[in-house]
């Protein structure tokens, strides 16, 4: 915690800790405030003098807690907290610098609600900082996201209407396990009853969400991020199979989870998966792997690699040092 806070700021911080952690001990409160236990007790005394009932109990199960019916003032931010909030919002959604943006409007309300001494720097940061948009990010509709999160919290099965990047549309009844944000994209990790398998759907491509009457139980010990990484490269329309003439241990660091599952094969390895966008797979993913490879399947990925090879060959026409035999697919 910053060491330059005023006693009033520390007292407000102490009240926030008591609200979120009822039963906090004097030692824990002191650690959170970055002060001694004696000083922590003094801040509790300041709160009591201000008319805020703080109850305390001794013993192994004792600690401090706010009294029943306590009415708390609005959330208070330190200057560093306010700056950190603005930076996080602009980093996640560059368009929030515009007051006409949905998130930008919400951020403006937060800044205006801050005390002038705190909000001044936050407002200046928002006005003068610029952020380049991430061309790979895709923000879903807030109402769709809210419907999915509510269903996850209620453990309620839903029916989603989905439109893939290639334009195919379908409906699927799913058990929504988690919403995971990965590199600016929002994913629904779920069990699809249509496919009888784990699936990952881009939330920005979900067109409609309808709650079902059925409930579900998520898997025990579910790690949403790990499960998403494992399943990103499976379940898409177009199968992929790429053979590398290099040991698995050397190729593995260059393989992103959405590319599929890497398996040993003789003296090399094979990458098996699926994709909804063969052109992106061929143009953006495979060229980053610095090892010789052969694309054995599927036909859509082979066609995309052939198109790319033709384009690159045409770009070097007339050069005696380039031959199509140098390009494998």
């Amino acid at each position: 915690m910053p060491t330059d806070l005023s006693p009033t700021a520390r007292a407000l911080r102490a009240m926030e800790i008591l609200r979120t952690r009822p039963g906090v001990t004097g030692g824990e409160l002191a650690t959170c405030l970055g002060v001694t236990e004696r000083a922590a007790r003094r801040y509790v005394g300041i709160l009591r003098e201000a008319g805020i009932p703080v109850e305390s109990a001794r013993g192994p199960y004792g600690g401090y807690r706010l009294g029943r019916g306590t009415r708390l003032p609005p959330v208070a931010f330190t200057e560093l907290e306010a700056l950190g909030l603005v930076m996080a919002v602009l980093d996640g959604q560059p368009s929030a610098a515009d007051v006409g943006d949905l998130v930008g409007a919400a951020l403006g309300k937060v800044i205006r609600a801050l005390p002038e001494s705190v909000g001044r720097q936050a407002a200046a940061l928002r006005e003068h900082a610029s952020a380049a948009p991430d061309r790979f990010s895709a923000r879903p509709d807030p109402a769709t996201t809210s419907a999915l999160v509510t269903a996850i919290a209620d453990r309620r099965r839903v029916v989603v209407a989905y439109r893939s990047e290639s334009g195919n549309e379908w409906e699927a009844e799913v058990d929504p396990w988690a919403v995971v944000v990965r590199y600016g994209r929002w994913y629904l990790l779920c069990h699809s009853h249509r496919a009888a398998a784990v699936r990952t759907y881009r939330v920005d491509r979900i067109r409609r969400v309808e709650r079902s009457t059925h409930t579900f139980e998520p898997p025990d010990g579910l790690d949403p991020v790990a499960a998403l990484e494992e399943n990103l490269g499976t379940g898409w329309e177009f199968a992929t199979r790429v053979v590398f003439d290099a040991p698995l241990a050397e190729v593995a660091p260059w393989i992103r989870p959405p590319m599929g599952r890497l398996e040993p094969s003789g003296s090399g390895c094979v990458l098996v998966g699926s994709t909804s966008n063969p052109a992106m797979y061929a143009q953006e993913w495979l060229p980053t792997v610095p090892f010789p490879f052969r694309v054995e399947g599927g036909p859509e990925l082979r066609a995309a690699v052939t198109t790319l090879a033709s384009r690159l060959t045409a770009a070097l026409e007339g050069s005696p040092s380039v031959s199509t035999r140098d390009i494998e697919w």
Side-chain angles (χ1 to χ4, degrees), residues 48-297:
R48 286 170 171 164
E49 290 175 2
I52 298 172
V54 179
E55 301 173 353
S56 60
R58 297 182 179 276
Y61 302 102
Y64 294 106
R65 67 184 66 242
L66 294 175
R68 290 176 177 269
T70 303
R71 293 177 61 87
L72 297 179
V75 176
F77 294 100
T78 66
E79 182 175 302
L80 292 180
E81 288 173 339
L83 291 175
L85 177 62
V86 174
M87 291 171 67
V89 172
L90 293 179
D91 181 53
Q93 181 153 331
S95 59
D98 183 358
V99 294
D101 177 76
L102 178 64
V103 176
L107 180 61
K109 292 179 181 179
V110 172
I111 292 176
R112 288 192 296 273
L114 296 173
E116 200 277 335
S117 59
V118 174
R120 185 189 311 112
Q121 289 297 325
L125 173 63
R126 183 198 187 182
E127 180 180 355
H128 298 291
S130 300
D134 182 355
R135 68 188 182 96
F136 295 110
S137 67
R139 294 175 183 85
D141 175 53
T144 299
T145 309
S146 177
L148 291 173
V149 170
T150 300
I152 293 168
D154 295 341
R155 298 187 174 183
R156 183 76 61 178
R157 190 179 298 176
V158 296
V159 176
V160 297
Y162 194 79
R163 187 176 190 274
S164 70
E165 186 174 10
S166 61
N168 294 331
E169 297 187 13
W170 68 83
E171 289 189 357
E173 188 175 29
V174 304
D175 296 342
W177 291 348
V179 168
V180 182
V181 184
R182 182 182 184 275
Y183 301 137
R185 291 180 176 176
W186 295 63
Y187 295 90
L188 172 66
L189 175 69
C190 62
H191 174 81
S192 169
H193 294 274
R194 176 178 181 266
V198 178
R199 287 291 183 262
T200 54
Y201 295 133
R202 287 263 299 270
V203 179
D204 60 296
R205 294 178 183 160
I206 295 177
R207 323 311 273 179
R208 189 179 69 259
V209 178
E210 295 179 0
R211 286 171 64 97
S212 167
T213 58
H214 301 287
T215 59
F216 70 91
E217 289 295 326
D220 292 335
L222 175 66
D223 183 337
V225 175
L228 178 81
E229 294 284 352
E230 181 180 346
N231 287 278
L232 272 176
T234 62
W236 303 107
E237 299 100 309
F238 307 114
T240 59
R241 180 180 175 87
V242 182
V243 177
F244 292 93
D245 297 328
L248 184 147
E250 296 181 15
V251 177
W254 299 89
I255 302 302
R256 301 170 54 191
M259 296 174 70
R261 183 179 66 257
L262 197 61
E263 301 173 347
S265 177
S267 60
C269 55
V270 59
L271 179 63
V272 181
S274 62
T275 181
S276 63
N277 191 335
M280 180 181 69
Y281 201 109
Q283 297 174 20
E284 298 184 18
W285 291 357
L286 284 179
T288 64
V289 184
F291 299 100
F293 62 84
R294 300 185 307 279
V295 178
E296 295 186 347

